[in-house]
């Protein structure tokens, strides 16, 4: 098999505080340090009020944690990537206030009920606490739920597939409460305080309504949709017979995320746990998604609409998508496949061919045929003139991108996908392997299947982070 020449997409630039001169960087944390967050002057946030649900007697631990946001921290890990943390106020132009008087402490002897299984008792106790805190949302911006290690016996139940984290996210998301779950062995005890501060700081800023960065390298006339599905349990039959369809709608710069979720019976077939929609149901979800985009853009349509999903598009899904999209909007349907048998090793010719000491460059792609390419979203990135490999070791495998409809150039599609791998505000990393159109799908699926009721409306992703 003869392959075409390898092509490469330049690492996408991120844009930060627009009141600064040339506020661009490929590095999200260095960009925040040097320029401040994108929305710092557009929509200023002066203070972020934090309330907590915690075990009584652990208040001093939380006070200590929140005091760390006012200090500088040197990195003890990922030293080629992590910059020095210089304090939340200096970086984000806002202050964090611990609203201890608003917070709710739980008596140790009332957390577990001896007549119930651990996970049921703990989730009931925390569920009641969340309902109580939902009456005081005007007094705080973010709710931190602290989970000490002595509660760990109620964190999971493998027999019932229970996960406390997902339960808590579902219980707070349905009430529109932005939350951060903090564990004793995680945020409180993790050795690299610099890493903890960066991760929590970005998350707090986003959950308080801020925009830390956006993409600077994608055209402003494209929109992106990520399709995913989740099987939910029927509370009457106790069987997973609700299929929830999720459509995530992103602006061309990777921001403005909202998503639609609704239960559907319009399933044509399934492949394992993956459903495929009927023509009518695909038309419905695409129409809803386009209307959501138009609502945010004063009725304006995008010139290009690019849809990502992990499974193939059936003929009925393709037809349904075209039914919903006006003829003057260019539609691309792309399947993004993670598991491929391909690998790529970089060789250099220094008088004699030999393999390089670093992997292939991130952003490399190889055209297999008119419909398929291999695309490396992991690999070497140049930061300040030096090679950086986020994964540290191993040979990165490419994604297989398969086009089911559309005729746009691969350069444009790859540039968009590579940019969207940098738009996960739920961590401090340089990139993800998958674009956020699909990377957020697993987060949504885990949470939505715990929700007793999914309303047919638009949701903000910050409640599910």
């Amino acid at each position: 098999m003869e392959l075409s020449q390898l092509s490469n997409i330049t690492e996408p630039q991120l844009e930060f505080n627009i009141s600064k001169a040339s506020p661009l960087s490929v590095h999200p944390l260095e960009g925040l340090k040097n320029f401040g967050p994108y929305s710092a002057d557009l929509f200023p946030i002066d203070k972020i009020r934090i309330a907590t649900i915690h075990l009584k007697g652990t208040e001093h631990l939380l006070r200590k944690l929140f005091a760390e946001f006012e200090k500088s921290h040197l990195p003890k890990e990922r030293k080629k990537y992590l910059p020095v943390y210089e304090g939340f106020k200096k970086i984000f132009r806002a202050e964090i206030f611990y609203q201890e008087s608003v917070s709710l402490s739980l008596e140790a002897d009332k957390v577990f009920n001896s007549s119930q299984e651990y996970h049921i008792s703990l989730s009931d106790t925390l569920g009641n606490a969340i309902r109580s805190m939902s009456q005081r949302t005007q007094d705080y911006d973010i709710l931190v739920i602290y989970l000490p290690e002595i509660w760990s016996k109620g964190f999971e139940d493998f027999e019932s597939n229970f996960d406390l984290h997902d339960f808590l996210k579902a219980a707070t998301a349905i009430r529109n409460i932005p939350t951060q779950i903090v564990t004793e062995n995680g945020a409180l005890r993790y050795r690299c305080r610099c890493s903890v501060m960066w991760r929590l700081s970005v998350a707090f800023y986003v959950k308080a309504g801020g925009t830390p960065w956006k993409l600077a390298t994608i055209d402003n006339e494209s929109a992106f949709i990520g399709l995913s599905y989740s099987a939910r349990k029927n509370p009457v039959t106790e069987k997973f017979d609700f299929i929830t369809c999720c459509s995530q709608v992103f602006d061309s710069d990777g921001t403005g995320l909202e998503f639609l979720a609704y239960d559907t019976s319009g399933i044509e077939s399934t492949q394992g746990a993956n459903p495929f929609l009927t023509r009518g149901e695909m038309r419905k979800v695409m129409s809803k998604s386009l209307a959501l985009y138009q609502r945010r853009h004063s009725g304006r349509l995008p010139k290009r609409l690019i849809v990502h999903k992990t499974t193939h598009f059936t003929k009925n899904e393709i037809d349904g998508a075209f039914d919903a999209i006006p003829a003057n909007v260019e539609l691309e349907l792309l399947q993004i496949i993670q598991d491929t048998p391909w690998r790529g090793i970089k060789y250099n010719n220094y008088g004699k061919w030999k393999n390089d000491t670093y992997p292939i460059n991130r952003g490399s792609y190889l055209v297999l045929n008119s419909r398929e390419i291999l695309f490396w979203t992991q690999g070497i990135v140049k930061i300040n003139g030096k090679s950086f490999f986020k994964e540290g070791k191993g040979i990165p495998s490419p994604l297989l991108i398969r086009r089911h409809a559309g005729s746009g150039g691969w350069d444009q599609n790859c540039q968009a996908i590579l940019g969207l791998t940098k738009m996960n505000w739920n961590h401090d990393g340089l990139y993800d392997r998958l674009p956020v159109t699909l990377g957020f799908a697993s987060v949504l699926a885990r949470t939505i299947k715990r929700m007793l009721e999914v309303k047919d409306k638009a949701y903000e992703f910050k409640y599910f982070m």
Side-chain angles (χ1 to χ4, degrees):
M1 179 179 182
E2 186 174 344
L3 299 174
S4 62
Q5 186 175 354
L6 194 70
S7 301
N8 193 263
I9 301 297
T10 302
E11 184 67 20
Q13 295 263 22
L14 301 174
E15 186 174 9
F16 298 88
N17 189 346
I18 58 173
S19 65
K20 306 289 185 179
S22 302
L24 302 176
S25 176
V26 300
H27 193 306
L29 306 187
E30 286 188 356
L32 286 171
K33 274 191 67 173
N34 294 335
F35 307 110
Y38 176 80
S39 62
D41 292 326
L42 286 174
F43 310 104
I45 298 174
D46 296 324
K47 61 182 179 179
I48 300 174
R49 302 167 301 162
I50 309 289
T52 64
I53 295 174
H54 59 273
L55 176 65
K56 188 174 183 179
T58 61
E59 293 87 355
H60 66 290
L61 298 175
L62 292 167
R63 284 194 293 268
K64 180 182 177 183
L65 174 67
F66 295 124
E68 289 187 76
F69 288 93
E70 301 174 10
K71 303 174 182 177
S72 293
H73 301 274
L74 296 173
K76 294 183 179 179
E77 63 179 21
R78 298 183 291 160
K79 294 183 179 180
K80 291 183 178 180
Y81 174 72
L82 275 184
V84 175
Y85 180 86
E86 297 178 339
F88 190 87
K89 184 177 181 179
K90 184 173 182 180
I91 298 169
F92 289 89
R93 285 45 167 184
E95 291 187 79
I96 288 179
F97 289 91
Y98 179 25
Q99 306 286 86
E100 193 168 344
S101 62
V102 179
S103 300
L104 182 60
S105 61
L106 303 176
E107 299 281 352
D109 59 352
K110 295 181 180 178
V111 174
F112 291 104
N113 187 329
S114 59
S115 64
Q116 293 178 310
E117 295 180 69
Y118 292 130
H119 69 286
I120 294 175
S121 182
L122 181 57
S123 60
D124 282 350
T125 299
L126 292 174
N128 290 333
I130 289 167
R131 280 189 286 275
S132 177
M133 292 300 291
S134 69
Q135 306 302 313
R136 304 195 63 181
T137 53
Q138 73 278 3
D139 297 323
Y140 62 89
D141 302 304
I142 299 170
L143 178 62
V144 168
I145 302 175
Y146 172 52
L147 302 178
E149 193 60 22
I150 59 172
W151 290 355
S152 61
K153 55 191 176 184
F155 289 176
E156 293 178 303
D157 182 71
F158 296 106
E159 188 173 331
S160 62
N161 194 32
F162 174 83
D163 182 279
L164 182 65
H165 179 280
D166 298 341
F167 166 82
L168 294 174
K169 284 297 179 181
T172 52
I174 203 169
R175 294 173 173 83
N176 292 340
I177 302 175
T179 56
Q180 179 68 43
I181 297 171
V182 169
T183 64
E184 183 176 352
N185 287 340
L188 264 67
R189 289 186 177 178
Y190 194 72
R191 62 180 289 272
C192 182
R193 305 314 296 167
C194 179
S195 183
V196 171
M197 288 298 105
W198 273 116
R199 289 175 179 175
L200 287 180
S201 294
V202 174
F204 281 166
Y205 188 75
V206 173
K207 292 171 185 182
T211 301
W213 62 79
K214 71 172 192 175
L215 286 171
T217 51
I218 293 182
D219 70 274
N220 59 7
E221 295 182 324
S222 296
F224 300 89
I225 292 176
L227 291 182
S228 60
Y229 311 95
S230 177
R232 295 197 309 115
K233 185 178 288 187
N234 185 321
V236 177
T237 64
E238 291 295 307
K239 294 181 179 179
F240 288 91
D241 57 3
F242 285 104
I243 298 296
T244 299
C245 180
C246 295
S247 174
Q248 307 162 72
V249 183
F250 294 80
D251 290 343
S252 58
D253 58 14
T255 61
L257 167 64
E258 289 182 276
F259 72 94
L260 299 163
Y262 65 96
D263 291 333
T264 177
S265 57
I267 301 299
E268 180 180 51
S269 61
T270 59
Q271 183 182 75
N274 300 305
F276 295 95
L277 301 181
T278 62
R279 180 171 181 168
E281 198 64 27
M282 189 65 166
R283 179 172 60 247
K284 179 180 177 181
V285 68
M286 294 301 292
S287 295
K288 283 174 172 281
S289 303
L290 195 59
L292 181 58
Y293 179 89
Q294 288 181 281
R295 190 193 77 193
R296 289 206 310 263
H297 295 84
S298 304
R300 178 174 63 85
L301 286 169
K303 287 190 176 181
R304 295 180 70 234
L305 188 63
I306 301 95
V307 184
H308 297 160
K309 76 181 184 111
T310 57
T311 55
H312 69 272
F313 291 82
T314 64
K315 183 180 185 303
N316 278 336
E317 288 180 324
I318 295 171
D319 291 341
F322 276 101
D323 289 344
I325 305 303
N328 61 336
V329 176
E330 181 185 342
L331 180 65
E332 295 258 356
L333 302 179
L334 300 179
Q335 180 186 4
I336 300 180
I337 303 168
Q338 285 198 77
D339 297 324
T340 69
W342 294 84
R343 295 292 184 273
I345 299 174
K346 188 195 301 185
Y347 278 79
N348 284 320
N349 184 9
Y350 302 119
K352 181 180 179 182
W353 284 103
K354 64 177 182 177
N355 62 299
D356 198 271
T357 54
Y358 282 106
I360 196 169
N361 292 338
R362 170 172 142 86
S364 301
Y365 73 89
L366 187 68
V367 177
L368 299 180
N369 52 58
S370 61
R371 294 180 59 238
E372 294 180 328
I373 65 165
L374 297 175
F375 186 38
W376 278 264
T377 57
Q378 295 172 305
I380 291 302
V381 178
K382 290 289 185 181
I383 298 179
N384 299 324
K386 296 181 179 180
S387 295
F388 175 73
F389 181 37
K390 175 190 167 187
E391 288 71 26
K393 60 181 179 179
I395 302 174
S397 61
L399 302 174
L400 175 63
I401 314 295
R402 181 175 292 148
R403 178 187 282 129
H404 289 264
S407 57
W410 283 119
D411 261 31
Q412 191 175 20
N413 276 310
C414 289
Q415 184 185 52
I417 290 171
L418 200 68
L420 291 169
T421 66
K422 299 174 74 77
M423 291 305 298
N424 185 351
W425 293 330
N426 209 24
H427 63 60
D428 64 357
L430 182 64
Y431 59 78
D432 287 333
R433 184 164 186 245
L434 286 175
V436 284
T437 44
L438 299 179
F440 284 173
S442 60
V443 177
L444 297 177
R446 288 200 316 267
T447 304
I448 283 172
K449 73 180 181 182
R450 308 287 179 184
M451 296 172 68
L452 296 178
E453 179 185 8
V454 174
K455 295 181 180 179
D456 187 357
K457 67 170 189 175
Y459 292 86
E460 288 187 67
F461 186 72
K462 70 177 184 179
Y463 299 119
F464 295 80
M465 287 175 61

